[in-house]
Amino acid sequence: MVFSASQIALLINGNVDGNPEAAVQSFGKIEEAGEGQLSFLANPKYEEYLYSTKATIVIVNDSLELKQAVTATLIKVKDAYSAFATLLGKYQEFRQQQLKGIQQPVFIAATASYADDIYLGAFAYVGEQVKIGNGSKIYPGVYLGDNVTIGNNVTLHPGVKVLHSCQIGNNVTVHAGTVIGSDGFGFAPQADGSFSKVPQIGNVIVEDDVEIGANSTIDRATIGSTIIRKGAKLDNLIQIAHNVEIGNSTVVAAQAGISGSTKIGKGVMIGGQAGIVGHLQIGDGAKINAQSGVSKNLEPGKAVTGSPAHEYTSALRSQALSRKLPDLERRIKELEQLILQLKPTIE
Amino acid sequence: MVFSASQIALLINGNVDGNPEAAVQSFGKIEEAGEGQLSFLANPKYEEYLYSTKATIVIVNDSLELKQAVTATLIKVKDAYSAFATLLGKYQEFRQQQLKGIQQPVFIAATASYADDIYLGAFAYVGEQVKIGNGSKIYPGVYLGDNVTIGNNVTLHPGVKVLHSCQIGNNVTVHAGTVIGSDGFGFAPQADGSFSKVPQIGNVIVEDDVEIGANSTIDRATIGSTIIRKGAKLDNLIQIAHNVEIGNSTVVAAQAGISGSTKIGKGVMIGGQAGIVGHLQIGDGAKINAQSGVSKNLEPGKAVTGSPAHEYTSALRSQALSRKLPDLERRIKELEQLILQLKPTIE
Amino acid sequence: MVFSASQIALLINGNVDGNPEAAVQSFGKIEEAGEGQLSFLANPKYEEYLYSTKATIVIVNDSLELKQAVTATLIKVKDAYSAFATLLGKYQEFRQQQLKGIQQPVFIAATASYADDIYLGAFAYVGEQVKIGNGSKIYPGVYLGDNVTIGNNVTLHPGVKVLHSCQIGNNVTVHAGTVIGSDGFGFAPQADGSFSKVPQIGNVIVEDDVEIGANSTIDRATIGSTIIRKGAKLDNLIQIAHNVEIGNSTVVAAQAGISGSTKIGKGVMIGGQAGIVGHLQIGDGAKINAQSGVSKNLEPGKAVTGSPAHEYTSALRSQALSRKLPDLERRIKELEQLILQLKPTIE
């Protein structure tokens, strides 16, 4: 797709300064962009690159006063950064909208139903009683088990697996390779040391506006539902165990893991590689630092770090002091020697 | 599938108290269940819900004495919890047994062989010389490389990959997206700083009654076999490196990782996100806490925590004290001041 | 494939001592090998096994002096270990070279192009404008999005997903289930507590001679490229965030995670389950221990451990002392009591 400076100016409500026919077909950072690329300048720190950039078009702030000649065509807007972001969004949307129709081969069970305008990629599997809403994009190799429901405007990237009876809301995006609805890890120890499986017959409910990264795993509930609530954002390689609930607009960074039946509140921030043990309550707005190990309930707004995790500020102090331990030990040794010298006076 | 109260009573050896024709088609927790659902009451703490539940049928203990009227049909058994679990197991079994036959399209190499009663989902790939035993369920998109052996009653969920020459025993379940038989991570450093690959030509052997979670990875041995022994249970997103052995009925929680050539004994418990370095021996019945980093051999029955991991009880004491470090430092400072005051007496 | 002792001797420039027609078809460790298997003896510690092994052929050092009779046919070479490794390499190469042609069904977009000698497994998806170089092996179920470029002699194992516009160099191997080019995790917080997605329109560039393990995830850049440079080796279940760069011949062990925009130098060693926060510079040759949490830039050659990570040697001392904390506390208590006894002398 090729766009001209005048077309872009129209999309972002800007004014062209240079050649209105200048054409671009991709995006680049101002310091790296080449011919045929569109870039932007928002941070004055990078202004020097404007005079040497090879980008064909650059979006700049209205307020910018040029100090040298530029070869690129400029598009002037009120806020260059947000205009650029808007443009990227429109571009992605446009790319997505082109995806339509059913590629071959696919497997669609007789009782499945789906809107007319969906995209269903080759090698996708659609089980019995599956329902797929308007405008959803099901990429190649996706698996939808029996009785799965997919809302409107959902994007399931290649190789996503949604297992039987799970429900996906509207405007949900799931990245490649993620598994939704694998069995919870439930085994009852037997007298002989072996384990007997506890059947996992619940499901997973993913509410509207959720985004889930690549190769993550979300286990179905033993009974009832594992729930990812509206607007939550999960990164790659995350483990969500059975019967967990993740609150509205909570953000979970890559490789974090949440154990069974733990309930996470709204607007919680969970750092990368953090772990949370089972059956806890994490209050709204809590902040859990990367690599923390949370083993107790957290009150709303509480910030913690460390493994085991403790209140952020005091944990940082303890961490700092633990690096001073060699010094503390030396001071104790000195005190012991001084005391030894003093001791005779009390005998 | 719809079941009546009298059918269910027959399956779990119970007595119907209410309408024997009452019919259910799914399961729910007593506090959440709706019409057409089956629930149970085992814990007296939840008895209040029995009087308000919308469940159509509830399984209860024989010993229960009703304090109010109930609208649900009751099925009375000796132990409501285990009767419910039995029922779930039978239901899952029944669901599974319905899966049979070969969907299209699939890829089956000319030299592959398989029992008559297997399920082979669409887009499954069955390589040369592969053997699949009785009653096994191979879900859509599963990949079985050349010379793979799959035992009886094995379930491989969607997108599982078993690479060439690996062997899966009987009654094994592997959840979606897991990779069995990827190359071990072996590279020989060269004089110029680059690395040359050490060929990985062993395989993976998964013995009977093993269950492995979703999106886990089990590398093939360099030479010989990586072995997951009978009855071991592995969770999601677990890394098992080349030449590792996991003992009978050992349990490994999500996101744990075990480095090359380490041998884990029987009945070991490994917590989530724990890591174990290579070439270690972990004794039978050892317990490794979540997020621990084990860098030394462990004797049988030993419990450890922390990174690096140490004996559980003493590690907990050290962890507790490390949070008291600011207090310890203050006490040292006070002692130093007191000593300063005393010092003149010895001069 | 069956090979005779004389054929093998020819390949590794050795001399046969025994039956030149002795034939093998697989490999085994000397203590485990059975009939029809080839083994080797390099470490004198294992010499006893040479006299009891059931292997049909054993590669040994020229310098070995037999102490008993052996039943196996021997092949004598200068360095048994490296001869065996050479043989494994040739065997793997040979196995790989046999893979050729296009299995059915596959999906190949009209505008895709590929060399004549590639292998394309069943259920592979090849998008618009995709290019695949000479001798590359694309296993079953691989997904190549639009505009993806794959170099020469690349091996993509089953279920690998390379998303649109990503570029893979020559001699690259990617193991099963890995995702290259998933969206970076970028969301702008909104006034109402929700998040709005920042479009991720960059790509991933994987340079020559890179190997990436199974079920790892490498996110595309927001703008520009996430880059894995020449000769880097990544293990399983690794997370590489958007705009990260991994330097030449850097090695990353399993389950490590690297946050957005961090640049890792050349020849860096990153241990398993380590985490590195975003926007850092890690100097050439740095060593990051397993489970470390790196939150600051590292100078070239620096070695660190711990979470948060600190200089290796001093961190080990602090860790050792933190296990002596109960002892330090006892010593402080004793000092306090002694001081109390002394105190009267200054009143």
Side-chain angles (χ1 to χ4, degrees):
Chain A
M1 292 180 285
V2 176
F3 298 88
S4 70
S6 55
Q7 284 174 319
I8 293 166
L10 207 65
L11 279 169
I12 57 175
N13 200 21
N15 297 306
V16 177
D17 181 356
N19 176 13
E21 302 307 317
V24 291
Q25 54 196 347
S26 65
F27 302 88
K29 295 185 199 173
I30 192 159
E31 68 270 32
E32 297 173 350
E35 213 175 314
Q37 288 200 301
L38 171 72
S39 194
F40 74 104
L41 172 66
N43 188 335
K45 232 175 62 184
Y46 294 103
E47 187 178 331
E48 56 169 309
Y49 294 115
L50 180 62
Y51 307 112
S52 59
T53 187
K54 286 173 183 148
T56 297
I57 304 178
V58 182
I59 302 174
V60 299
N61 291 332
D62 269 340
S63 58
L64 178 80
E65 292 180 23
L66 290 178
K67 304 200 180 66
Q68 301 178 29
V70 290
T71 57
T73 291
L74 304 183
I75 300 178
K76 295 184 163 187
V77 294
K78 204 174 157 195
D79 176 348
Y81 179 76
S82 81
F84 188 69
T86 300
L87 206 60
L88 294 188
K90 281 184 203 280
Y91 171 80
Q92 286 286 75
E93 228 174 77
F94 185 77
R95 253 194 113 254
Q96 284 276 77
Q97 278 167 0
Q98 292 186 310
L99 272 183
K100 243 171 225 176
I102 297 182
Q103 295 179 330
Q104 290 301 334
V106 290
F107 180 99
I108 306 178
T111 56
S113 61
Y114 48 90
D116 288 343
D117 63 347
I118 67 164
Y119 165 61
L120 190 63
F123 316 122
Y125 181 99
V126 181
E128 299 290 346
Q129 306 286 352
V130 169
K131 287 177 183 58
I132 307 175
N134 296 318
S136 287
K137 319 288 183 197
I138 312 296
Y139 274 80
V142 166
Y143 172 87
L144 305 178
D146 297 346
N147 302 304
V148 162
T149 309
I150 305 290
N152 302 324
N153 300 313
V154 168
T155 302
L156 303 181
H157 284 279
V160 165
K161 290 122 201 142
V162 185
L163 283 88
H164 76 87
S165 310
C166 293
Q167 297 169 21
I168 310 289
N170 302 312
N171 308 312
V172 169
T173 297
V174 184
H175 291 282
T178 283
V179 174
I180 295 175
S182 35
D183 275 5
F185 195 60
F187 298 93
Q190 304 298 296
D192 65 352
S194 71
F195 292 90
S196 128
K197 184 174 174 73
V198 178
Q200 305 289 312
I201 60 139
N203 72 347
V204 178
I205 296 174
V206 176
E207 296 187 353
D208 296 351
D209 306 326
V210 165
E211 184 155 340
I212 302 172
N215 281 354
S216 287
T217 56
I218 304 181
D219 283 349
R220 70 179 57 240
T222 309
I223 309 176
S225 299
T226 303
I227 306 177
I228 314 296
R229 296 206 185 278
K230 189 174 157 65
K233 309 294 180 189
L234 278 61
D235 201 349
N236 300 340
L237 292 169
I238 285 171
Q239 153 71 355
I240 306 289
H242 47 180
N243 294 87
V244 164
E245 287 182 33
I246 305 282
N248 288 6
S249 299
T250 277
V251 174
V252 186
Q255 296 179 317
I258 300 170
S259 305
S261 299
T262 284
K263 313 296 180 203
I264 313 277
K266 300 175 193 174
V268 173
M269 315 281 280
I270 300 177
Q273 298 182 335
I276 306 182
V277 308
H279 299 275
L280 296 188
Q281 305 274 350
I282 306 298
D284 296 349
K287 284 185 174 52
I288 296 170
N289 203 24
Q291 291 191 331
S292 297
V294 179
S295 54
K296 290 178 182 164
N297 292 340
L298 293 186
E299 287 169 25
K302 187 103 178 231
V304 296
T305 193
S307 174
H310 291 280
E311 193 276 322
Y312 192 73
T313 320
S314 77
L316 286 196
R317 267 212 76 198
S318 297
Q319 283 173 6
L321 277 170
S322 79
R323 292 198 298 284
K324 284 173 60 184
L325 271 172
D327 180 54
L328 291 185
E329 194 198 27
R330 183 190 48 73
R331 284 159 70 186
I332 293 172
K333 216 173 269 175
E334 281 173 16
L335 284 165
E336 286 167 340
Q337 283 162 351
L338 283 170
I339 285 276
L340 262 186
Q341 288 178 274
L342 286 170
K343 242 179 135 182
T345 68
I346 53 164
E347 272 162 37
Chain B
M1 291 179 284
V2 177
F3 297 90
S4 70
S6 55
Q7 284 174 319
I8 293 167
L10 207 65
L11 280 168
I12 58 174
N13 200 19
N15 297 307
V16 178
D17 181 355
N19 176 11
E21 302 307 317
V24 290
Q25 55 197 346
S26 65
F27 302 90
K29 293 185 199 174
I30 193 159
E31 67 271 32
E32 298 172 350
E35 213 176 313
Q37 287 200 301
L38 171 72
S39 195
F40 75 104
L41 173 67
N43 188 335
K45 232 174 63 182
Y46 294 102
E47 187 179 330
E48 55 168 312
Y49 295 114
L50 180 62
Y51 307 112
S52 58
T53 187
K54 287 173 183 148
T56 297
I57 303 178
V58 182
I59 301 174
V60 298
N61 291 332
D62 268 340
S63 58
L64 178 79
E65 292 181 22
L66 292 180
K67 302 201 180 67
Q68 300 178 28
V70 291
T71 56
T73 291
L74 304 183
I75 299 178
K76 295 184 161 187
V77 294
K78 201 170 161 200
D79 177 347
Y81 178 76
S82 80
F84 188 71
T86 300
L87 206 61
L88 294 187
K90 280 184 203 283
Y91 171 80
Q92 286 287 74
E93 228 173 78
F94 185 77
R95 253 194 113 255
Q96 284 275 78
Q97 279 167 0
Q98 291 186 310
L99 272 183
K100 242 172 224 174
I102 298 182
Q103 296 179 330
Q104 290 301 334
V106 291
F107 180 99
I108 305 179
T111 55
S113 61
Y114 48 89
D116 289 344
D117 63 347
I118 68 163
Y119 165 62
L120 190 63
F123 316 122
Y125 181 99
V126 181
E128 299 290 346
Q129 306 286 352
V130 169
K131 289 178 183 58
I132 307 176
N134 297 318
S136 287
K137 319 287 182 197
I138 313 295
Y139 275 80
V142 166
Y143 172 86
L144 304 178
D146 296 347
N147 303 305
V148 162
T149 309
I150 305 289
N152 302 324
N153 300 313
V154 168
T155 302
L156 303 181
H157 284 280
V160 165
K161 290 121 201 141
V162 184
L163 284 86
H164 75 87
S165 310
C166 293
Q167 298 170 20
I168 310 287
N170 302 312
N171 307 312
V172 169
T173 297
V174 184
H175 291 281
T178 282
V179 174
I180 294 175
S182 35
D183 274 6
F185 194 61
F187 299 93
Q190 304 298 295
D192 66 353
S194 71
F195 292 90
S196 128
K197 183 174 174 74
V198 178
Q200 305 288 313
I201 60 139
N203 73 346
V204 178
I205 296 175
V206 177
E207 295 187 353
D208 296 350
D209 306 326
V210 166
E211 183 154 340
I212 302 172
N215 281 354
S216 286
T217 57
I218 303 182
D219 282 350
R220 70 179 56 241
T222 309
I223 309 175
S225 299
T226 303
I227 306 177
I228 313 296
R229 296 206 185 278
K230 188 173 157 65
K233 309 294 179 188
L234 278 62
D235 202 348
N236 300 341
L237 293 168
I238 285 171
Q239 152 72 353
I240 305 290
H242 47 180
N243 294 87
V244 164
E245 288 183 33
I246 305 282
N248 288 6
S249 298
T250 278
V251 173
V252 186
Q255 296 177 317
I258 299 170
S259 304
S261 298
T262 283
K263 312 297 179 203
I264 312 277
K266 300 175 192 174
V268 174
M269 314 279 282
I270 300 176
Q273 298 181 335
I276 305 181
V277 308
H279 299 275
L280 297 188
Q281 304 274 350
I282 306 297
D284 295 349
K287 285 186 172 51
I288 296 169
N289 204 25
Q291 291 191 332
S292 297
V294 179
S295 54
K296 290 179 182 163
N297 291 341
L298 293 186
E299 286 170 26
K302 188 105 178 229
V304 297
T305 192
S307 173
H310 292 281
E311 192 277 321
Y312 192 74
T313 320
S314 77
L316 285 196
R317 269 213 73 197
S318 297
Q319 283 174 4
L321 277 170
S322 80
R323 292 197 299 284
K324 283 173 61 184
L325 271 172
D327 179 55
L328 292 185
E329 194 198 29
R330 183 189 48 73
R331 285 160 68 186
I332 292 172
K333 216 174 270 175
E334 281 174 15
L335 284 165
E336 286 167 338
Q337 283 162 350
L338 284 170
I339 285 275
L340 263 187
Q341 287 178 276
L342 286 170
K343 243 177 135 183
T345 68
I346 55 163
E347 271 163 39
Chain C
M1 291 178 286
V2 177
F3 297 89
S4 70
S6 56
Q7 284 174 318
I8 293 166
L10 207 65
L11 280 169
I12 57 175
N13 201 19
N15 297 307
V16 178
D17 181 356
N19 175 13
E21 302 307 318
V24 290
Q25 55 196 346
S26 65
F27 302 90
K29 293 186 199 172
I30 192 159
E31 67 272 32
E32 297 173 350
E35 213 174 314
Q37 287 200 302
L38 171 72
S39 194
F40 74 104
L41 173 67
N43 188 335
K45 233 175 63 182
Y46 294 103
E47 188 179 330
E48 54 169 311
Y49 294 115
L50 180 62
Y51 307 112
S52 58
T53 187
K54 286 172 184 149
T56 297
I57 303 178
V58 181
I59 301 174
V60 299
N61 291 331
D62 268 341
S63 58
L64 178 79
E65 293 180 21
L66 290 180
K67 303 201 181 67
Q68 299 178 29
V70 289
T71 55
T73 291
L74 304 183
I75 299 178
K76 296 184 161 187
V77 294
K78 202 170 161 202
D79 177 347
Y81 179 76
S82 81
F84 188 70
T86 300
L87 206 60
L88 295 188
K90 281 185 203 280
Y91 171 80
Q92 287 287 74
E93 229 174 76
F94 185 78
R95 250 193 115 255
Q96 284 276 76
Q97 278 167 359
Q98 291 186 312
L99 271 182
K100 242 171 225 177
I102 298 182
Q103 295 179 330
Q104 291 300 334
V106 291
F107 181 100
I108 306 179
T111 55
S113 61
Y114 48 90
D116 289 343
D117 63 347
I118 68 163
Y119 164 62
L120 190 62
F123 315 122
Y125 181 99
V126 181
E128 298 290 347
Q129 307 286 353
V130 169
K131 288 177 183 59
I132 307 176
N134 297 317
S136 288
K137 320 287 182 197
I138 312 295
Y139 275 80
V142 166
Y143 172 87
L144 305 178
D146 296 347
N147 302 305
V148 161
T149 308
I150 305 289
N152 302 323
N153 300 313
V154 169
T155 302
L156 303 182
H157 284 280
V160 165
K161 291 122 201 143
V162 184
L163 284 87
H164 75 87
S165 311
C166 292
Q167 297 169 21
I168 310 288
N170 302 313
N171 308 312
V172 169
T173 297
V174 184
H175 291 282
T178 283
V179 174
I180 295 175
S182 35
D183 274 6
F185 195 61
F187 298 93
Q190 304 298 295
D192 64 353
S194 71
F195 292 90
S196 128
K197 183 172 173 77
V198 177
Q200 304 290 313
I201 61 142
N203 72 347
V204 178
I205 295 175
V206 176
E207 295 188 353
D208 296 351
D209 306 326
V210 166
E211 183 154 341
I212 302 172
N215 281 353
S216 286
T217 57
I218 304 182
D219 283 350
R220 69 178 58 240
T222 308
I223 308 175
S225 299
T226 303
I227 306 177
I228 313 295
R229 295 206 185 279
K230 188 173 157 64
K233 309 293 180 190
L234 278 61
D235 201 349
N236 300 341
L237 292 168
I238 285 170
Q239 153 71 353
I240 305 290
H242 47 180
N243 295 87
V244 164
E245 287 182 34
I246 305 282
N248 288 5
S249 298
T250 278
V251 174
V252 187
Q255 296 179 317
I258 300 170
S259 304
S261 298
T262 283
K263 312 296 180 205
I264 312 276
K266 301 174 191 173
V268 174
M269 314 281 281
I270 300 177
Q273 298 182 334
I276 306 181
V277 308
H279 300 275
L280 297 188
Q281 304 274 351
I282 306 298
D284 295 349
K287 286 187 172 52
I288 295 170
N289 203 24
Q291 291 192 331
S292 297
V294 179
S295 54
K296 290 177 183 165
N297 292 340
L298 293 186
E299 286 170 25
K302 188 105 178 232
V304 296
T305 192
S307 173
H310 291 280
E311 191 277 321
Y312 192 74
T313 319
S314 77
L316 285 196
R317 269 212 73 197
S318 297
Q319 283 175 5
L321 276 170
S322 79
R323 290 198 299 283
K324 282 174 62 185
L325 271 173
D327 180 54
L328 291 186
E329 194 199 27
R330 183 189 49 72
R331 285 160 69 185
I332 292 172
K333 216 174 270 175
E334 281 173 16
L335 285 164
E336 286 166 339
Q337 284 162 350
L338 284 170
I339 285 275
L340 262 187
Q341 289 179 275
L342 286 169
K343 242 177 135 184
T345 68
I346 54 164
E347 272 163 40

